[in-house]
């Protein structure tokens, strides 16, 4: 059973798509064969660029929307474009300031549901849309949104350490999208609750309880963990049976789902209980789902079996690794 799950995860487009990041990684890292290096104020590989700014950090991020998703459900695609950027900022211990958009459509009618969705998310999360670019004269439909935020203390992808406890926190008060691998726990929720739930992340960072983690993205739990391990130069054992999930969603499908509220954190053992309690107080399902080690391999565990999903020392995923970890 575990071997089949591992094979499905390895072949999933949400995981394989992360390998596309190797292209900008090669150009921006100054590695042999690159066109040249660029002076950068922030490390590459986090959910947001974290630029030191006074007593904190300016956060910048952007997300493009999968074309098939935009075509099939343009309103929810517009909503999600804002939502995922907001999640990126909170995943780094920050709070969002504002978003801008780039929207291309074949007609004014094609843009209407996209804008309805973006405005609905802007209101739900209390993050204004302050500018961007809109065109209704395109031969295709396309959507991308960028966000700015600020953080006092960071949760980053570079700080997972051997011995850490892996904590998964996912809002299970939702439902799967009918067609795409998205778990929607946002559009029907009270906006005040949504904002309060997200405040757990900067609160943990500012209390010194967590400095490592990511939001669960299109690669699902496994793909997100691989990215976290790669940038931290670490490995881990992931207990699949411990991952919070709805009863009616098959395991493999759930491990590849993109939840509207989902975070994977790497925390020191002595504070894991406090971290879990912070999510529990908000009604967020959370659990210790594994442990970080120094192997640079992601090993899956279930029903007494173990299976290596990926060996990062032999096969990079994104190509974005902590200096000295390659």
């Amino acid at each position: 059973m575990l071997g089949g799950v591992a094979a499905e995860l390895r072949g999933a487009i949400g995981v394989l798509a992360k390998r596309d990041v190797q292209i900008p990684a090669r150009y921006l890292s100054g590695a042999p064969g690159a066109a040249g290096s660029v002076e950068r104020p922030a490390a590459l590989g986090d959910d947001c660029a974290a630029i030191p700014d006074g007593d904190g950090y300016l956060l910048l991020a952007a997300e493009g929307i999968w074309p098939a998703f935009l075509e099939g459900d343009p309103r929810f695609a517009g909503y999600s474009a804002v939502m995922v950027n907001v999640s990126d900022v909170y995943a780094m211990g920050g709070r969002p300031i504002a978003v801008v958009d780039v929207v291309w459509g074949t007609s004014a009618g094609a843009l209407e549901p996209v804008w309805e969705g973006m405005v609905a998310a802007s209101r739900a999360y209390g993050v204004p849309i302050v500018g961007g670019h809109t065109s209704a004269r395109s031969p295709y439909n396309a959507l991308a949104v960028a966000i700015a935020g600020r953080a006092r203390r960071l949760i980053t992808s570079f700080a997972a350490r051997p011995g850490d406890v892996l904590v998964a926190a996912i809002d299970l008060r939702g439902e799967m999208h009918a067609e795409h691998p998205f778990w929607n726990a946002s559009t029907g929720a009270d906006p005040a609750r949504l904002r309060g739930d997200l405040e757990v992340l900067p609160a943990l960072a500012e209390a010194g309880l967590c400095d490592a983690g990511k939001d669960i993205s299109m690669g699902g739990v496994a793909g997100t963990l691989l990215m976290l391990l790669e940038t931290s130069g670490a490995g881990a054992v992931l207990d699949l049976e411990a991952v919070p999930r709805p009863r009616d969603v098959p395991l493999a499908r759930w491990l590849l789902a993109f939840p509207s509220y989902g975070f994977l954190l790497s925390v020191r053992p002595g504070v894991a209980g406090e971290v879990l309690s912070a999510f529990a107080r908000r009604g967020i399902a959370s659990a210790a789902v594994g442990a970080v080690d120094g192997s640079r391999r992601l090993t899956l565990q279930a029903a007494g079996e173990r299976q290596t999903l990926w060996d990062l020392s032999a096969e990079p995923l994104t190509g974005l690794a902590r200096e000295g970890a390659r």
Side-chain angles (χ1 to χ4, degrees):
M1 185 275 286
L2 189 56
V5 171
E8 187 169 347
L9 295 179
R10 279 189 61 89
I13 191 168
V15 175
L16 295 178
K18 303 302 181 185
R19 304 181 79 170
D20 297 347
V21 179
Q22 292 183 27
I23 300 168
R26 178 167 57 86
Y27 276 90
L28 296 177
S29 68
S37 61
V38 179
E39 289 296 324
R40 296 186 308 275
L44 299 173
D46 264 322
D47 290 310
C48 301
I51 302 169
D53 183 36
D55 60 351
Y57 299 85
L58 176 65
L59 302 178
L60 294 173
E63 295 279 357
I65 293 300
W66 191 251
F69 181 31
L70 180 61
E71 292 295 330
D73 195 343
R75 190 183 190 282
F76 188 46
Y79 188 97
S80 297
V82 173
M83 176 182 70
V84 296
N85 274 283
V86 169
S87 182
D88 281 341
V89 169
Y90 279 104
M92 295 210 43
R95 296 176 178 88
I97 298 171
V99 300
V100 295
D101 61 85
V102 178
V103 189
W104 293 82
T106 56
S107 66
L111 296 180
E112 293 291 341
V114 178
W115 268 103
E116 288 173 5
M118 287 196 297
V119 169
S122 170
R123 291 172 176 164
Y125 289 101
V127 183
I129 300 171
V130 296
H133 176 91
T134 298
S135 173
R137 304 174 187 275
S138 169
Y140 52 81
N141 298 321
L143 172 62
V145 170
I147 194 165
R150 283 195 58 82
R152 298 190 185 100
R153 298 185 69 173
L154 290 178
I155 298 172
T156 87
S157 301
F158 294 88
R161 308 176 193 172
D164 279 0
V165 175
L166 290 171
V167 170
I170 306 172
D171 188 352
L172 300 183
R173 297 166 292 189
E175 60 183 4
M176 288 294 294
H177 191 276
E179 183 179 355
H180 299 285
F182 304 136
W183 176 258
N184 177 14
S186 178
T187 57
D190 175 66
R193 199 203 83 203
L194 289 176
R195 300 175 199 179
D197 291 347
L198 286 166
E199 275 293 317
V200 173
L201 281 303
L204 291 175
E206 290 162 11
L209 294 174
C210 180
D211 63 1
K214 295 185 77 68
D215 78 324
I216 299 172
S217 67
M218 283 294 293
V221 173
T224 299
L225 179 53
L226 273 173
M227 292 189 291
L228 175 61
L229 297 176
E230 186 172 28
T231 47
S232 292
V237 175
L238 175 64
D239 183 353
L240 301 184
E241 295 174 305
V243 176
R245 70 177 170 114
R247 295 179 180 178
D248 59 346
V249 180
L251 178 62
R253 188 181 187 208
W254 181 246
L255 293 173
L256 291 168
F258 188 174
S260 58
Y261 184 108
F263 299 92
L264 191 62
L265 307 178
S266 183
V267 302
R268 312 294 99 84
V271 298
E274 292 179 74
V275 171
L276 292 168
S277 294
F279 289 109
R281 286 193 293 271
R282 297 295 311 181
I284 302 295
S286 63
V289 298
V292 178
D293 58 40
S295 68
R296 300 202 61 218
R297 293 187 299 273
L298 175 53
T299 300
L300 306 181
Q301 175 180 292
E305 297 181 67
R306 286 195 173 193
Q307 175 88 33
T308 297
L309 177 66
W310 206 287
D311 185 347
L312 289 163
S313 63
E315 185 181 5
L317 181 64
T318 66
L320 298 172
R322 190 180 64 190
E323 187 175 350
R326 288 186 176 85

